[in-house]
Amino acid sequence: QVQLVESGGGSVQAGGSLKLSCVASGYTYSTMGWFRQAPGKEREGVAAISTGAGGRSTYYADSVKGRFTISRDNAKNTVYLQMNSLKPEDTAMYYCAAKRGAPFGLTAIRALNVNEYNYWGQGTQVTVSS
């Protein structure tokens, strides 16, 4: 039984920071991602991390580059999303996701595509006030 459990969301003022965590049970996935969905909007990719024969790769949406950092601790089966310099437009429900299979031919577009992922957490709310 695959289970992804997110934590770390909350309410902060603009310019603040939050660190999200996602613990995966049942398996260690090569590719994990963070997505977000604001009210009335589609779910979008925020960041992803993959580990393969070529090493570790990270991918970021343009809107968060330089502000968010994704990392993982395989020993703890945990993926993190450090979010700095938060903006009101970062307000959304944030979801952790896992992708089956090895990251062969993984590109940034695919790594941040919701349709590439097989398992999802329940989400954690992030609210940034101005």
Side-chain angles (χ1 to χ4, degrees):
Q1 181 78 15
V2 177
Q3 191 172 17
L4 303 175
V5 180
E6 305 98 331
S7 62
S11 298
V12 295
Q13 290 194 326
S17 298
L18 283 173
K19 186 174 184 177
L20 306 183
S21 299
C22 171
V23 179
S25 61
Y27 194 71
T28 298
Y29 292 92
S30 297
T31 303
M32 302 278 296
W34 283 99
F35 295 76
R36 67 186 181 187
Q37 188 167 19
K41 294 189 177 182
E42 293 187 352
R43 192 171 297 188
E44 62 175 0
V46 174
I49 186 167
S50 67
T51 304
R56 183 167 293 183
S57 299
T58 56
Y59 310 88
Y60 296 96
D62 287 343
S63 59
V64 306
K65 279 180 182 177
R67 299 189 299 123
F68 290 11
T69 302
I70 189 170
S71 61
R72 68 189 301 169
D73 183 336
N74 286 340
K76 296 181 179 180
N77 243 1
T78 301
V79 177
Y80 305 97
L81 185 67
Q82 177 68 47
M83 305 185 295
N84 298 329
S85 302
L86 282 162
K87 304 176 181 180
E89 50 264 44
D90 294 319
T91 295
M93 185 71 79
Y94 282 70
Y95 298 91
C96 174
K99 173 179 165 57
R100 285 198 302 258
F104 295 127
L106 190 66
T107 62
I109 292 176
R110 288 184 60 198
L112 299 177
N113 187 330
V114 297
N115 296 315
E116 291 282 338
Y117 290 78
N118 307 100
Y119 306 103
W120 295 84
Q122 294 299 308
T124 185
Q125 178 68 38
V126 171
T127 302
V128 185
S129 58
S130 57

